[in-house]
Amino acid sequence: MIELRGLCAGYPGREVLHDITLDFTPGKVLCLLGPNGCGKSTLLRAACGLLPVPDGQALLDGRPIGQCSPRETALRVAYLPQSRTVPNITARRMVLHGRFPHLGYPRRYQAGDRAAAQRALEWADAADIAGRPLPELSGGQRQKVYLAMALAQDTETILMDEPTTYLDVRHQLEVMALARRLAGQGRAVVMVLHDLCLAMQSADEIAVLAEGRLVRTDTPEGIYAGGVLNRVMGVALGRTANREGWRYYYE
């Protein structure tokens, strides 16, 4: 479990996050919302040890993440960034990279690694493109491959920065359904999203950031009732009841 306690983080000469206290709870989908530049991506990077934490703490199972080796962290936390380089390898080979933390030396894939990669490809709806080179794929297809690589890592916590980028509406909904499935397995799923309605309909918890500070953490119901997104994002959200609960929309 990842716990942030009074965390401050950023880049040389510029602190982006100020006094963030937040838990990434197993079995729940947490969506990070806020305007561009408010620190959502920085928060994910600091939480998984990719950025130093000069003040406060980022704890991984109670231990400061800066004291964990990269392999120790990678065995427990998978991170899907906003963008990646596009190496000239097949999609299947890229997904197998998610198994690196599980390999001994020398790095040789075993049957279990290949099975985990295949399972991840199927979960991400990318099995049909497994044999194709990444440069030949569309942006949406590549995004599914990168998602599959994170899933192949098979971790307790999955951090995803804008995982629905480049995806059409059907695949966006499939990603959110997958997030719910992973949470149902007891994993902590944390997602940066820009689609407020999608987040409100799918998350267990919403954390709203503005100017590097945590404005409020609550259930979607609590966030809606408090009107915090209207104030922070400058939009008006409405909702209507359906068989699944609430459907949110922009007024």
Side-chain angles (χ1 to χ4, degrees):
M1 178 174 172
I2 292 179
E3 303 165 276
L4 309 181
R5 295 290 178 263
L7 180 141
C8 299
Y11 305 92
R14 183 169 68 95
E15 184 176 281
V16 176
L17 297 172
H18 319 293
D19 194 26
I20 302 291
T21 294
L22 186 64
D23 291 340
F24 297 174
T25 307
K28 290 188 177 181
V29 176
L30 168 66
C31 285
L32 306 180
L33 305 180
N36 289 338
C38 70
K40 301 183 296 294
S41 298
T42 301
L43 190 152
L44 290 190
R45 289 174 56 81
C48 64
L50 293 177
L51 287 178
V53 178
D55 198 8
Q57 290 184 308
L59 303 174
L60 177 57
D61 294 336
R63 181 181 174 192
I65 200 163
Q67 296 178 9
C68 300
S69 71
R71 183 173 184 270
E72 287 175 317
T73 302
L75 284 170
R76 286 180 270 178
V77 184
Y79 168 58
L80 175 65
Q82 282 186 32
S83 59
R84 288 182 176 272
T85 57
V86 185
N88 189 20
I89 59 175
T90 66
R92 186 184 305 279
R93 192 73 181 178
M94 191 73 191
V95 173
L96 276 167
H97 285 186
R99 300 300 300 167
F100 276 11
H102 299 269
L103 303 181
Y105 184 82
R107 285 178 172 169
R108 291 177 180 167
Y109 298 118
Q110 305 298 320
D113 300 307
R114 299 186 188 281
Q118 179 62 30
R119 184 168 57 249
L121 283 162
E122 292 169 359
W123 282 5
D125 191 29
D128 60 328
I129 57 174
R132 295 178 56 187
L134 285 180
E136 295 181 5
L137 301 180
S138 69
Q141 289 172 322
R142 289 175 193 164
Q143 190 69 0
K144 290 193 288 184
V145 172
Y146 299 143
L147 174 59
M149 182 172 66
L151 296 176
Q153 207 167 320
D154 193 21
T155 56
E156 301 163 354
T157 300
I158 302 174
L159 312 181
M160 297 187 276
D161 197 348
E162 299 186 40
T164 58
T165 300
Y166 304 120
L167 298 179
D168 58 36
V169 173
R170 178 174 73 87
H171 286 102
Q172 289 178 24
L173 294 174
E174 287 178 356
V175 167
M176 300 311 295
L178 175 59
R180 296 244 39 99
R181 179 181 174 186
L182 293 167
Q185 296 173 348
R187 304 173 199 252
V189 182
V190 185
M191 315 172 77
V192 170
L193 290 179
H194 282 296
D195 188 325
L196 307 184
C197 298
L198 194 62
M200 293 286 283
Q201 288 166 201
S202 305
D204 295 299
E205 293 182 320
I206 302 286
V208 181
L209 287 85
E211 298 181 347
R213 298 187 182 278
L214 186 59
V215 178
R216 181 167 178 172
T217 304
D218 209 333
T219 63
E221 285 279 331
I223 293 293
Y224 181 82
V228 64
L229 290 176
N230 299 39
R231 297 193 301 272
V232 170
M233 302 297 293
V235 298
L237 279 184
R239 69 181 183 181
T240 184
N242 60 23
R243 286 179 298 178
E244 287 76 35
W246 294 104
R247 182 178 68 84
Y248 293 86
Y249 58 88
Y250 300 109
E251 293 183 323

